């Protein structure tokens, strides 16, 4: 089992910045991907950004150029630096870890942290 603890959400004005952190603990071997999803009311959960163990990154088109994901393997922590925030970025942001176990991939989720961007 992997436990995820998130921090860094909050309320910010449009154009502002926030940094989210997510630290993994427990059985943290073979973690392939660490990333962030978000879900706004009435919307489906969507991938915001992810980083592989080899530091390859993936971003949603809507956040490219504004958000940066990074990973500190020594601390088992993934960060999401969010700049130039827009009201449409308002959502619950949830940390995700994908762990390889033989031929299976296990998904672990954090509890979520609220990000609210006011106009």
């Amino acid at each position: 089992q992997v436990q995820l603890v998130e921090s860094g959400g909050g309320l910010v004005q449009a154009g502002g910045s926030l940094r989210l952190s997510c630290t993994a603990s427990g059985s943290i071997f073979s973690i392939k991907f660490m990333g962030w999803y978000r879900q706004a009311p009435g919307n489906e959960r969507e991938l915001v950004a992810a980083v592989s163990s080899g530091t390859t990154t993936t971003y949603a088109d809507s956040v490219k150029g504004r958000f940066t994901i990074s990973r500190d393997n020594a601390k088992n922590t993934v960060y999401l630096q969010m700049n130039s925030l827009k009201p449409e970025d308002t959502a619950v942001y949830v940390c995700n870890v994908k762990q390889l176990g033989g031929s299976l991939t296990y998904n672990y989720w954090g509890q979520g942290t609220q990000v609210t961007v006011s106009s």
Side-chain angles (χ1 to χ4, degrees), residues 10-75:
L11 172 64
V12 65
Q13 290 187 333
S17 298
L18 285 173
R19 190 175 84 151
L20 305 182
S21 300
C22 173
T23 298
S25 62
S27 300
I28 55 177
F29 54 88
S30 299
I31 289 179
K32 182 64 174 176
F33 293 98
M34 301 184 79
W36 293 91
Y37 287 70
R38 67 185 180 187
Q39 187 166 18
N43 291 353
E44 294 186 354
R45 183 174 289 185
E46 62 172 351
L47 175 67
V48 177
V51 57
S52 73
S53 57
T55 69
T56 299
T57 57
T58 299
Y59 294 95
D61 288 343
S62 59
V63 306
K64 284 180 181 177
R66 300 188 297 122
F67 291 10
T68 302
I69 192 168
S70 60
R71 176 173 174 172
D72 186 334
N73 289 325
K75 296 181 179 179

